[in-house]
Amino acid sequence: MRLVVIGSGTAGSNFALFARKLDRKAEIIVIGKEKTMQYSPCALPFVLSGKIPKLDNIIVFPNEFYEKQKIQLMLDTEAKAIDREKKVVITDKGEVNYDKLILAVGSKAFVPPIKGVEADGVFTLKSMDDVKKIKAYIEEKKPKRAVVIGAGLIGLEGAVAFKELGLDVLVVELLPHLLPTMLDKDTASIVQKHLEEKDIEFKFGVGVGEIIGSPVKAVKIGEEEIEADLVLVATGVRANVELAKRAGLEVNRGIIVDEYLRTSDPDIYAIGDCAEVFDAVTGERMLSQLGTTAVRMAKVAAINALGGEEKFRPVFNTAITELFDLEIGTFGMTQERAKREGIDIVVGKFKGSTKPEYFPGGKPITVKAIFRKEDKRLIGAQIVGGERVWGRIMALSFAAQKGATVEDIAYGETAYAPPISPTIDPITVAAEMALRKFK
Amino acid sequence: MRLVVIGSGTAGSNFALFARKLDRKAEIIVIGKEKTMQYSPCALPFVLSGKIPKLDNIIVFPNEFYEKQKIQLMLDTEAKAIDREKKVVITDKGEVNYDKLILAVGSKAFVPPIKGVEADGVFTLKSMDDVKKIKAYIEEKKPKRAVVIGAGLIGLEGAVAFKELGLDVLVVELLPHLLPTMLDKDTASIVQKHLEEKDIEFKFGVGVGEIIGSPVKAVKIGEEEIEADLVLVATGVRANVELAKRAGLEVNRGIIVDEYLRTSDPDIYAIGDCAEVFDAVTGERMLSQLGTTAVRMAKVAAINALGGEEKFRPVFNTAITELFDLEIGTFGMTQERAKREGIDIVVGKFKGSTKPEYFPGGKPITVKAIFRKEDKRLIGAQIVGGERVWGRIMALSFAAQKGATVEDIAYGETAYAPPISPTIDPITVAAEMALRKFK
């Protein structure tokens, strides 16, 4: 069995490692454009800020680690085309034939067609190279004011990094609030307030019309010119679908796969940022584009490419971030998206403390839990607080993954100790709030 | 409707509050021996150590809070008997008739019949009064060396408090390791090592035969006399069943109730430490005696006493504690108990880090997950680590409460961010370890 992986990122590298665990003899070949195997793209903002001291630190394993496991690496190599008839990948360094092919070709930063976006001092934050360039630019030009376009996860984490490096920071977001796919306006406003207290400025509902100067001197928002000597474009990513499309595979916004992660060609799998998955709430195809999803897809595709039959489960897109002293956790459906998609929901929301009142050091925490009216199931949650948000979003997500209803959470068992959490946990209270509305 | 509650602790106080939320008109009367309503018994070790500055802080609400909600308080009052025929509680301050009676009479510290156990300087740690007495004794006698009898939660939390107050501490446990009902020997040894590094000493598999002197001067273990000028007896609690027994209710180790928390008399409910619940793993009756269980029972009993039909769910006894720099979380079946009870299990265990390797500050964490062989279900877990144990035990517990299998955890969605958790979470890896053994 010859497994060929295109892509040496999180999905591709993990696929190779999982496949090797499952099969000691299979030939495993990874074709990758970069010179190294997987690194953590989510870690880039922390390299930028200096919290992670060295860029190379975020490379998960050295190339030798893979080679020792008899994973053949064809790095610094570009896959140009796939001949599905002959089962061959055509690269700039020759042809590679396969029994099963795994597309793990990832995504690229989406850069909107803003006038001047090619200017010196305008960056994306998607690759190790991006970080190198930003760091060199900061070193050389000593910029004073950064404008971040886009208030998604990478935009905000980038904004925090710039602030920590001593820059003034303005975040510009076309939509009405920050983290627009993850949070509703009410929970987003808590995050916004916290970031504003740390002197990050925001403009919502407007776009950058033009970037002026090269090196950049200003951005234009409406008629207003705003001083900026560094611009970060963080307006999302797009799945790399071109190779699959040229090979005649079915492609939507991402490469289309079935429950077993097979593309429209049964000998070709697609995993990670380039592939669509199923939404656990709506059942529809979606792009997840989280590192955890990439790893989980790799695990399932490895089983299936080696002859197994494991379904990849629909995805809630459980996510967490930390911005200064605030943790933000989310998964699933937001109230705003439910409204857009016409899904009837019941919302439970509670603002409490992370510790019992009598224990010093508790911090405010807001839990918003979203239940589907039809079957009372937990279909989404947003938690924002000073600590222990992660545990609560993990608990709610695992409950939702098992089909938990509002009663399951309201009557659920939590772990309590005075220095850690209250006897009646905020997640339970939020569910109770919703439960009362059901009655 | 006249609801009479005997017991002003966590279960009784919460019952009164929940019942009032559900019914604005019902008469609610709480009969309690103490002078105040609920306080947090779990907080007592932290008052002892001084982390919670004042004893009164742990009283959850002042009496006026209940009175404002038209909850009638008969405090400083002892219920002597129940006349079930007449539906009357006989107290030392007169008779109180009821429509529904709720027994929330709690538990008392179990003190084994050790010679000299009545000596000055020997304490339990179950009530506010206990803390007052210990603090006064420490103030007056300036003891140097504490012996703690029993390595359960209260014993260890007490030992940590004494250590933080500057005493030498020895913990003596009859069973072979600490936290014997919550952990197995392997996970317990991690906790023991940490406590020993903090200079707490242990003796296992032996009991204290005699307490010498009053005020105490030493304890005798076998033939050895060990110096001690303070002794804490922390050998568990016993349900207060006498009142129920005298009233002719069915009683086992605790008061027997059905799924609706009704005793053998349909007009009498029992909740909290005094009542037995159903074990989520074995289906058998058990004593839970956790604060969270008391609150959850109160909630369900309030619904039912007011005419509802809500079942109280079987209990996993999810618990968490923090001992110095270590968090310990558990629920459900241990490996040792499974062996004793003849339950076939498959264990997955993994030692990893709480953060990705490249992110500074990650701490060791060990996850032990226990699955039932028969149906692959998660029936227990033990997690010991430097941080974020609570979130993991919450996630696994909620998954188990919904009947999660080994696949549900191994393929489960976790929330990842570099400063918070690894892409592949230790709980997932532990489940994968177990999954491989199933195959």
Side-chain angles (χ1 to χ4, degrees):
Chain A
M1 173 67 84
R2 188 171 229 227
L3 301 173
V4 175
V5 186
I6 306 180
S8 59
T10 304
S13 296
N14 275 291
F15 177 91
L17 294 172
F18 284 124
R20 177 54 75 227
K21 265 193 209 164
L22 294 171
D23 189 327
R24 285 167 179 250
K25 291 181 186 161
E27 265 191 280
I28 303 173
I29 302 166
V30 180
I31 301 169
K33 266 194 280 194
E34 316 253 343
K35 291 196 175 79
T36 62
M37 295 288 282
Q38 62 166 325
Y39 59 87
S40 170
C42 305
L44 296 170
F46 305 96
V47 179
L48 185 57
S49 70
K51 276 192 184 152
I52 298 173
K54 276 180 60 186
L55 187 55
D56 281 354
N57 289 359
I58 69 170
I59 298 171
V60 180
F61 300 113
N63 292 349
E64 300 75 46
F65 177 82
Y66 300 88
E67 284 161 348
K68 265 186 202 153
Q69 300 192 47
K70 304 216 166 148
I71 294 164
Q72 298 173 52
L73 305 186
M74 285 183 67
L75 298 178
D76 208 7
T77 301
E78 197 177 343
K80 297 282 192 188
I82 302 161
D83 185 334
R84 288 164 53 203
E85 289 279 306
K86 293 191 192 155
K87 296 179 84 169
V88 160
V89 180
I90 297 126
T91 79
D92 55 358
K93 296 195 180 153
E95 296 194 349
V96 185
N97 64 313
Y98 64 84
D99 292 318
K100 301 284 177 189
L101 178 64
I102 290 83
L103 299 178
V105 291
S107 60
K108 56 182 163 297
F110 167 67
V111 178
I114 299 168
K115 193 177 166 192
V117 80
E118 303 296 337
D120 195 22
V122 181
F123 303 96
T124 55
L125 186 46
K126 177 74 173 79
S127 67
M128 287 174 72
D129 228 39
D130 288 336
V131 173
K132 275 185 209 158
K133 286 180 196 162
I134 300 172
K135 287 203 150 205
Y137 184 85
I138 290 175
E139 185 75 13
E140 192 198 338
K141 299 276 168 62
K142 312 259 186 284
K144 294 216 165 49
R145 183 168 170 86
V147 166
V148 176
I149 306 177
L153 266 185
I154 286 291
L156 295 186
E157 288 172 356
V160 168
F162 290 134
K163 195 78 226 172
E164 286 174 339
L165 292 169
L167 280 77
D168 291 336
V169 183
L170 167 69
V171 179
V172 183
E173 168 62 53
L174 209 55
L175 290 166
H177 61 76
L178 55 73
L179 298 176
T181 61
M182 291 167 63
L183 297 178
D184 289 312
K185 183 143 194 162
D186 55 349
T187 47
S189 73
I190 304 168
V191 182
Q192 183 184 333
K193 194 164 165 254
H194 182 72
L195 296 177
E196 284 172 345
E197 280 166 9
K198 303 284 184 180
D199 274 334
I200 292 178
E201 293 169 68
F202 288 93
K203 280 187 188 287
F204 292 106
V206 292
V208 169
E210 189 181 340
I211 294 166
I212 297 164
S214 185
V216 56
K217 291 207 169 66
V219 298
K220 210 165 167 185
I221 297 176
E223 289 310 300
E224 195 184 0
E225 264 188 34
I226 293 168
E227 201 189 317
D229 42 11
L230 191 161
V231 173
L232 177 68
V233 180
T235 45
V237 298
R238 293 291 180 271
N240 289 325
V241 296
E242 300 73 19
L243 184 68
K245 209 179 231 173
R246 285 202 308 273
L249 297 174
E250 274 182 48
V251 165
N252 188 8
R253 288 199 302 145
I255 301 169
I256 290 179
V257 293
D258 66 11
E259 290 170 302
Y260 300 95
L261 304 179
R262 277 180 311 229
T263 65
S264 51
D265 180 332
D267 290 324
I268 305 181
Y269 293 78
I271 58 175
D273 278 11
C274 68
E276 294 191 350
V277 295
F278 291 97
D279 184 310
V281 178
T282 63
E284 292 178 8
R285 289 179 201 275
M286 66 173 281
L287 285 164
S288 164
Q289 301 183 321
L290 291 178
T292 44
T293 304
V295 172
R296 293 165 58 236
M297 292 178 93
K299 204 188 282 187
V300 169
I303 294 169
N304 294 337
L306 288 163
E309 283 271 303
E310 186 71 41
K311 283 186 188 176
F312 184 72
R313 295 157 185 233
V315 166
F316 278 100
N317 260 20
T318 312
I320 186 85
T321 188
E322 191 182 69
L323 301 171
F324 295 114
D325 312 318
L326 209 58
E327 269 184 50
I328 301 118
T330 68
F331 70 85
M333 185 63 63
T334 61
Q335 191 170 12
E336 289 164 7
R337 193 183 138 205
K339 195 175 173 187
R340 280 198 306 275
E341 300 189 5
I343 300 169
D344 277 342
I345 58 168
V346 173
V347 174
K349 192 174 153 190
F350 179 68
K351 185 177 170 183
S353 174
T354 56
K355 291 193 209 300
E357 268 188 53
Y358 56 77
F359 205 93
K363 290 170 184 169
I365 187 165
T366 298
V367 178
K368 182 170 180 176
I370 292 167
F371 301 90
R372 188 157 46 201
K373 193 150 200 182
E374 189 189 356
D375 57 6
K376 293 183 158 186
R377 284 201 179 192
L378 176 63
I379 58 169
Q382 300 157 43
I383 310 184
V384 180
E387 59 174 0
R388 299 216 185 253
V389 166
W390 180 74
R392 291 182 168 94
I393 210 72
M394 287 276 284
L396 289 183
S397 173
F398 266 86
Q401 288 171 55
K402 285 299 294 173
T405 62
V406 63
E407 282 96 350
D408 290 330
I409 310 303
Y411 298 119
E413 209 179 308
T414 60
Y416 149 67
I420 292 175
S421 65
T423 332
I424 306 181
D425 198 87
I427 62 173
T428 312
V429 185
E432 272 183 75
M433 300 286 191
L435 186 55
R436 256 175 263 162
K437 294 189 201 166
F438 270 106
K439 280 171 180 168
Chain B
M1 173 67 83
R2 186 172 230 227
L3 301 173
V4 174
V5 186
I6 306 180
S8 60
T10 304
S13 296
N14 276 289
F15 177 91
L17 295 172
F18 284 124
R20 175 54 74 225
K21 265 192 209 164
L22 295 170
D23 189 328
R24 285 168 179 248
K25 291 183 187 159
E27 263 190 282
I28 304 172
I29 301 165
V30 180
I31 301 168
K33 266 194 279 196
E34 316 252 343
K35 291 197 175 78
T36 63
M37 295 289 281
Q38 62 167 327
Y39 60 88
S40 170
C42 304
L44 295 171
F46 306 97
V47 179
L48 185 57
S49 72
K51 274 191 185 152
I52 299 173
K54 276 179 60 185
L55 187 56
D56 282 353
N57 288 358
I58 70 171
I59 298 170
V60 180
F61 300 113
N63 292 349
E64 299 75 50
F65 177 81
Y66 300 87
E67 285 161 347
K68 265 187 200 152
Q69 300 192 47
K70 304 212 167 150
I71 295 164
Q72 297 171 54
L73 306 186
M74 284 183 65
L75 297 178
D76 208 5
T77 301
E78 199 177 343
K80 297 282 190 185
I82 302 162
D83 184 334
R84 288 163 55 203
E85 289 280 306
K86 293 193 192 154
K87 298 179 80 169
V88 161
V89 181
I90 296 127
T91 78
D92 56 358
K93 296 197 178 152
E95 298 194 350
V96 185
N97 62 312
Y98 64 83
D99 293 317
K100 300 283 177 191
L101 178 64
I102 291 83
L103 299 178
V105 291
S107 60
K108 57 181 160 300
F110 167 67
V111 178
I114 300 167
K115 193 179 166 190
V117 81
E118 303 296 338
D120 196 22
V122 181
F123 303 97
T124 55
L125 185 47
K126 177 75 173 80
S127 68
M128 288 174 71
D129 227 39
D130 287 337
V131 173
K132 274 185 209 158
K133 286 180 196 161
I134 300 173
K135 287 204 148 201
Y137 184 85
I138 290 176
E139 186 75 12
E140 191 197 338
K141 300 274 170 62
K142 311 261 186 282
K144 293 213 163 52
R145 184 168 169 86
V147 166
V148 176
I149 306 177
L153 267 185
I154 287 291
L156 295 186
E157 288 171 356
V160 168
F162 289 133
K163 193 81 225 169
E164 286 173 339
L165 291 169
L167 279 78
D168 290 337
V169 182
L170 166 70
V171 179
V172 183
E173 168 62 54
L174 208 56
L175 290 166
H177 61 76
L178 56 73
L179 298 176
T181 62
M182 291 166 63
L183 298 178
D184 289 312
K185 183 148 191 153
D186 55 348
T187 47
S189 73
I190 303 168
V191 182
Q192 184 185 334
K193 195 166 164 252
H194 183 71
L195 296 178
E196 284 173 345
E197 279 167 11
K198 303 284 183 180
D199 275 333
I200 291 178
E201 293 169 67
F202 288 92
K203 279 187 188 288
F204 292 105
V206 292
V208 169
E210 189 182 340
I211 294 166
I212 298 165
S214 184
V216 56
K217 291 206 168 67
V219 298
K220 209 166 169 186
I221 298 176
E223 289 308 301
E224 195 185 0
E225 263 188 34
I226 294 168
E227 200 190 319
D229 43 10
L230 191 161
V231 173
L232 178 67
V233 179
T235 45
V237 299
R238 293 293 180 269
N240 289 325
V241 295
E242 299 72 18
L243 184 66
K245 210 179 231 173
R246 284 201 308 271
L249 298 173
E250 275 183 48
V251 164
N252 188 8
R253 288 201 303 145
I255 301 168
I256 290 180
V257 294
D258 65 11
E259 290 171 300
Y260 300 95
L261 305 179
R262 276 181 310 229
T263 65
S264 51
D265 180 332
D267 290 325
I268 305 181
Y269 294 78
I271 59 175
D273 278 12
C274 68
E276 294 192 348
V277 295
F278 292 97
D279 184 309
V281 178
T282 63
E284 291 177 9
R285 289 179 201 275
M286 66 175 281
L287 285 165
S288 165
Q289 301 183 323
L290 292 177
T292 43
T293 304
V295 173
R296 292 164 58 237
M297 292 178 94
K299 205 188 282 188
V300 169
I303 294 169
N304 294 338
L306 287 163
E309 283 271 302
E310 187 70 40
K311 283 187 189 178
F312 185 71
R313 295 155 185 236
V315 166
F316 279 98
N317 259 22
T318 312
I320 186 85
T321 187
E322 192 182 69
L323 301 172
F324 294 115
D325 311 320
L326 208 60
E327 268 182 50
I328 301 118
T330 69
F331 69 85
M333 184 63 63
T334 61
Q335 190 170 12
E336 288 163 8
R337 192 182 139 206
K339 195 175 173 190
R340 280 199 306 273
E341 300 189 5
I343 299 170
D344 276 345
I345 58 166
V346 173
V347 175
K349 192 175 153 187
F350 179 69
K351 186 180 169 179
S353 174
T354 56
K355 292 193 208 299
E357 269 189 51
Y358 55 76
F359 205 94
K363 290 171 185 167
I365 186 165
T366 298
V367 177
K368 181 171 181 176
I370 292 168
F371 301 91
R372 186 156 48 200
K373 194 151 198 180
E374 187 190 357
D375 57 6
K376 293 183 158 186
R377 284 203 180 190
L378 177 63
I379 58 168
Q382 299 157 43
I383 310 184
V384 180
E387 59 174 0
R388 298 211 185 260
V389 166
W390 180 75
R392 292 181 167 94
I393 209 71
M394 286 276 285
L396 289 182
S397 173
F398 267 87
Q401 288 171 53
K402 286 298 294 173
T405 63
V406 63
E407 282 97 350
D408 290 329
I409 310 303
Y411 299 120
E413 208 179 309
T414 60
Y416 150 66
I420 293 175
S421 64
T423 332
I424 306 181
D425 197 88
I427 61 173
T428 311
V429 186
E432 271 183 75
M433 300 286 190
L435 186 56
R436 257 174 262 164
K437 294 189 203 167
F438 270 107
K439 280 173 179 166

